Amino acid sequence: MNNYKSSADLKALAKEHMFGNYGTAIGASVLIGMITGFLNLFCTMFLDVSTVYGVILNFLISFVISVLTGVFTSGTCYLYLKIACGRPVMISDVFYGFKLYPNKAIFIQLYRSSLVYLAMLPMTVFSFLLNRNPQNAVLTLLYSIFFVLYGVAFVMISLIYSQVFFLLHDFPNYSVKELLSMSRKLMKGSKGRLFYMLAGFLPLLLLGTLSCGIAYLWLAPYINTSCSEFFLDLIQNRQHAPQGEHQKASEI
């Protein structure tokens, strides 16, 4: 029988483990934000998104950048796993993804981004058409429908593959296909629990807007650590983990 911790317990553990680590976590978040933000700005600042060519190029560039940032996502998961396990952390931990199978991190993100951007494509098309014909009721309706469908698809994809980068650090010798499959199996029956936990942060996120987003510097590490606690709780209660070599998350 599984004995999963409640959302309140996971958040309490996250607060406990974040004590004394906020400075490092905030520094890491700012660093990654600056790198990815500059990359996006540099690659798209000269694009004219009012043209078909500009929209297509912007879509493709955004997709490529999303795939490449998988290495940073891997490093970020590593940093927060260390925090959740009570290990000392450094800002440089966010670059650990460049050391631990960066090719796997990129292919994992390629798979996830492909699903997300395929779901986004119809919405992007109708958004472009609507910008050219803002008074068209049919386009407005179609855009609204595809916007909602994209939102649902994005949430489901995010939940199903939410554990894959954590698993990369826990099972580094497994293939990308195995890691994706493990995430799907682990999240079977647990998507609702993770969604409930994340939805509980919405009031704080809304309040964070009153600080012009500054509060997000503290809130984001809290959320990320809570997700790490969720993974540790999930993996400890797993029933379908593959047999073989296992690098325990507690040893990270």
Side-chain angles (χ1 to χ4, degrees):
M1 180 179 179
N2 293 322
N3 296 302
Y4 294 116
K5 294 183 177 67
S6 67
S7 294
D9 290 337
L10 294 173
K11 292 177 181 178
L13 283 171
K15 288 180 180 178
E16 178 183 341
H17 288 136
M18 276 305 303
F19 185 76
N21 288 310
Y22 273 104
T24 302
I26 290 173
S29 297
V30 170
L31 179 60
I32 295 301
M34 290 175 61
I35 293 173
T36 56
F38 174 79
L39 189 59
N40 274 288
L41 180 62
F42 178 78
C43 293
T44 61
M45 64 185 299
F46 299 110
L47 292 179
D48 181 4
V49 293
S50 63
T51 65
V52 174
Y53 174 78
V55 170
I56 293 174
L57 196 56
N58 181 70
F59 189 85
L60 293 175
I61 290 174
S62 176
F63 173 75
V64 171
I65 292 175
S66 172
V67 172
L68 295 178
T69 56
V71 180
F72 291 119
T73 304
S74 175
T76 299
C77 288
Y78 175 69
L79 182 145
Y80 286 103
L81 270 179
K82 289 179 69 176
I83 290 176
C85 293
R87 306 287 294 178
V89 293
M90 301 179 293
I91 292 178
S92 60
D93 285 334
V94 293
F95 297 107
Y96 189 73
F98 288 93
K99 299 179 181 179
L100 181 74
Y101 298 109
N103 57 321
K104 291 185 181 180
I106 289 175
F107 277 111
I108 287 170
Q109 189 61 27
L110 173 62
Y111 183 84
R112 298 204 313 177
S113 293
S114 296
L115 295 177
V116 169
Y117 275 76
L118 281 174
M120 186 194 303
L121 184 57
M123 182 190 73
T124 302
V125 171
F126 283 103
S127 175
F128 174 75
L129 295 175
L130 187 60
N131 284 334
R132 290 196 162 188
N133 302 277
Q135 304 302 321
N136 191 305
V138 175
L139 289 177
T140 301
L141 176 61
L142 290 172
Y143 171 76
S144 300
I145 291 173
F146 283 111
F147 178 83
V148 172
L149 291 176
Y150 165 69
V152 173
F154 177 81
V155 170
M156 290 303 298
I157 293 166
S158 298
L159 291 174
I160 292 171
Y161 297 107
S162 59
Q163 309 305 306
V164 68
F165 280 106
F166 293 123
L167 289 166
L168 174 60
H169 293 281
D170 211 17
F171 298 86
N173 293 323
Y174 288 147
S175 69
V176 170
K177 183 178 179 180
E178 288 174 320
L179 293 170
L180 291 167
S181 176
M182 287 175 67
S183 183
R184 288 193 295 267
K185 290 178 180 178
L186 281 174
M187 289 306 294
K188 188 175 182 180
S190 292
K191 292 184 288 292
R193 291 194 310 112
L194 180 57
F195 181 82
Y196 177 79
M197 184 186 80
L198 294 175
F201 289 109
L202 283 177
L204 292 177
L205 289 169
L206 293 175
L207 287 174
T209 60
L210 300 178
S211 66
C212 299
I214 296 176
Y216 295 155
L217 293 175
W218 283 266
L219 184 55
Y222 175 31
I223 296 174
N224 286 331
T225 306
S226 297
C227 289
S228 297
E229 300 288 356
F230 181 91
F231 166 73
L232 294 175
D233 183 51
L234 190 63
I235 203 72
Q236 288 169 3
N237 285 279
R238 69 193 187 284
Q239 295 179 342
H240 306 292
Q243 298 297 317
E245 184 179 354
H246 177 206
Q247 176 188 342
K248 295 182 179 179
S250 60
E251 295 176 355
I252 288 178

